[in-house]
Amino acid sequence: MKRILLLGGVTEALAIARTLGPQHIYSLAGVGRVPTDLTCQVRVGGFGGADGLAQFIHDQSIGLLLDATHPYAAQISQNAATAAQLTGIPCWALRRPAWQPQTGDDWREVSDWAELIEALEPFRRPLFTLGREPLQHLHEIPPEQFWTLRALDVYPGNQRCEVIGARGPFLINDERELFERKQIDVLISKNSGSTATEPKLEVARERGVPVLVLKRPVLVGVDREFGSVGDLVIALSASDLS
Ligand code: NAP
């Protein structure tokens, strides 16, 4: 029986973890909630790069690495692929499909913060849903803009920025109310592909609000890639892992 090391980072990872027995390990970076009701083992915190992860795989006799981290968490995905190669074990990954623009959408892709700031110039009341990165730029907000910034936790804002701490899933009516209350004229988002955060895109569409989409990083290829938890779990049960 192969021992699995599951690298978590998205909601779906928890669903996979719930299918794993006590010999397997679910690993979290430590930025989100740590579940306490799982049958499998749970560990929290970094490994110390690809070499540290390879050492952990060796020490724990791991036979399969499952990468279910966020599509923008490129470092850990790279580390996973490298560590699997170093230790000679397979690496499988859950690669959540990206959202696709629909009729009526005005999406503008940006590659980095500099491009984002340039694209933001014509707007006055942006809603940032990128996580914590904009917090480093609060002192750069132009006088004509007021930012609304949504992150997992509340952080101090300033006179030109309100920070909202909230965790998905987000409901469409709450998103409608937020866009209306804050008079949002542009949405800034990663393309996470998550159903939990998708309603904001629907509201942007309804209101004709443009969306500045931060490009997805190109992730390293691994032995097998799955677009859904269901496909991955089927492949696990069809393999000789348990
Ligand atoms: P990252 O840049 O790819 O990874 C940074 C470091 O965090 C990794 O090198 C690793 O440390 C540690 N790490 C990441 N995932 C881990 C895991 N499952 N178990 C143990 N260590 C882990 O990732 P990030 O963008 O900072 O995101 C951190 C975590 O939050 C990831 O698990 C990611 O899936 C999740 N997340 C990210 C986003 C996002 O937008 N980036 C959104 C939602 C959730 P060592 O090198 O020391 O091993």
Side-chain angles (χ1 to χ4, degrees), residues 165-210:
R167 292 165 190 258
F170 297 103
L171 303 176
I172 183 99
N173 280 339
D174 294 339
E175 298 295 58
R176 285 186 181 121
E177 190 274 330
L178 176 65
F179 274 64
E180 176 61 25
R181 181 165 51 86
K182 306 302 292 185
Q183 286 298 291
I184 299 304
D185 63 1
V186 64
L187 170 67
I188 299 104
S189 179
K190 292 177 179 172
N191 190 336
S192 77
S194 164
T195 50
T197 53
E198 206 171 356
K200 63 188 173 186
L201 299 174
E202 206 174 321
V203 177
R205 191 175 307 126
E206 284 173 3
R207 297 177 71 98
V209 165

Side-chain angles (χ1 to χ4, degrees), residues 8-9 27-29 31 43 45-49 69-70 73-76 79 190:
S27 173
L28 292 164
V31 288
R43 67 166 297 286
F47 298 94
T69 60
H70 193 270
Q75 184 62 59
I76 187 68
N79 292 355
K190 292 177 179 172

Side-chain angles (χ1 to χ4, degrees), residues 21-222:
Q23 72 274 32
H24 304 299
I25 303 174
Y26 179 39
S27 173
L28 292 164
V31 288
R33 291 198 188 98
V34 178
T36 53
D37 61 344
L38 297 179
T39 307
C40 67
Q41 299 164 43
V42 180
R43 67 166 297 286
V44 180
F47 298 94
D51 289 341
L53 179 53
Q55 190 65 49
F56 183 90
I57 289 169
H58 176 265
D59 293 347
Q60 297 292 326
S61 303
I62 302 297
L64 173 67
L65 191 52
L66 286 185
D67 175 9
T69 60
H70 193 270
Y72 285 73
Q75 184 62 59
I76 187 68
S77 291
Q78 177 62 60
N79 292 355
T82 305
Q85 262 187 346
L86 286 172
T87 52
I89 66 164
C91 182
W92 294 4
L94 181 70
R95 299 277 194 243
R96 207 196 247 163
W99 292 316
Q100 299 301 325
Q102 297 180 24
T103 309
D105 281 333
D106 176 2
W107 289 13
R108 307 171 191 184
E109 270 206 331
V110 292
S111 302
D112 54 25
W113 186 260
E115 272 189 28
L116 168 56
I117 288 303
E118 207 182 315
L120 207 54
E121 268 172 24
F123 301 101
R124 297 291 172 265
R125 299 194 59 95
L127 169 60
F128 285 85
T129 59
L130 291 176
R132 284 175 300 176
E133 188 183 353
L135 290 169
Q136 301 162 25
H137 302 276
L138 296 191
H139 59 287
E140 298 163 18
I141 303 176
E144 67 277 12
Q145 289 183 354
F146 183 90
W147 291 8
T148 301
L149 202 162
R150 183 162 70 193
L152 288 182
D153 300 301
V154 185
Y155 298 91
N158 64 24
Q159 280 188 326
R160 289 206 296 281
C161 177
E162 179 185 342
V163 183
I164 299 170
R167 292 165 190 258
F170 297 103
L171 303 176
I172 183 99
N173 280 339
D174 294 339
E175 298 295 58
R176 285 186 181 121
E177 190 274 330
L178 176 65
F179 274 64
E180 176 61 25
R181 181 165 51 86
K182 306 302 292 185
Q183 286 298 291
I184 299 304
D185 63 1
V186 64
L187 170 67
I188 299 104
S189 179
K190 292 177 179 172
N191 190 336
S192 77
S194 164
T195 50
T197 53
E198 206 171 356
K200 63 188 173 186
L201 299 174
E202 206 174 321
V203 177
R205 191 175 307 126
E206 284 173 3
R207 297 177 71 98
V209 165
V211 186
L212 306 184
V213 181
L214 188 64
K215 270 187 198 151
R216 275 191 173 201
V218 178
L219 297 181
V220 62
V222 291

